[in-house]
Amino acid sequence: QVQLVESGGGLVQAGGSLRLSCTASGRTFSNYSMGWFRQPPGLEREFVAAVTSSGSFTYYADSVKGRFTISRDNAKNTVYLQMNDLKPEDTAVYYCASKNSNFGLTSPWYDYWGQGTQVTVSS
């Protein structure tokens, strides 16, 4: 089993920045692709960003492209989501997820999920 723990969420004003972190247990972190998903209140969970196991390729939802950056540090078993120029529509619970594949990373069929961290952006 892989356990994921998110941190870094909070309340921020529009235009501000936050950096989310997700730390994974286990020694095989480098074998997993990592993704970030979010669920706005009253809506379905949606894809935000993903990075392949090696960190060589990244993918972003159109709604966050140019504002968010996903990265990983395999030595620390940690994936990050740097969020800049935050907007009220970014308000959601953000989930970290891992998948033992480098394909289909924009879809929600991941193997493991964290508990989520709340991000609230005020206008």
Side-chain angles (χ1 to χ4, degrees), residues 8-87:
L11 191 152
V12 65
Q13 292 182 325
S17 299
L18 284 173
R19 187 175 74 161
L20 305 183
S21 299
C22 173
T23 299
S25 65
R27 297 162 58 186
T28 59
F29 176 78
S30 61
N31 294 330
Y32 287 81
S33 294
M34 302 295 296
W36 287 97
F37 291 76
R38 68 186 184 187
Q39 187 166 16
L43 300 177
E44 296 184 358
R45 190 172 299 183
E46 64 182 9
F47 169 76
V48 177
V51 59
T52 55
S53 57
S54 67
S56 297
F57 298 93
T58 57
Y59 307 90
Y60 297 94
D62 289 341
S63 58
V64 307
K65 193 172 185 179
R67 299 188 297 121
F68 291 10
T69 302
I70 188 172
S71 62
R72 67 188 297 157
D73 186 339
N74 286 351
K76 296 182 178 179
N77 287 184
T78 300
V79 64
Y80 304 95
L81 184 68
Q82 178 66 47
M83 304 184 293
N84 297 326
D85 191 25
L86 283 162
K87 303 176 180 180

Side-chain angles (χ1 to χ4, degrees), residues 6 20 34-39 45-50 81 92-98 104-110 113 116-117:
E6 303 99 333
L20 305 183
M34 302 295 296
W36 287 97
F37 291 76
R38 68 186 184 187
Q39 187 166 16
R45 190 172 299 183
E46 64 182 9
F47 169 76
V48 177
L81 184 68
V93 177
Y94 283 71
Y95 296 91
C96 173
S98 65
L105 302 184
T106 63
S107 299
W109 302 297
Y110 278 60
W113 295 84
T117 184

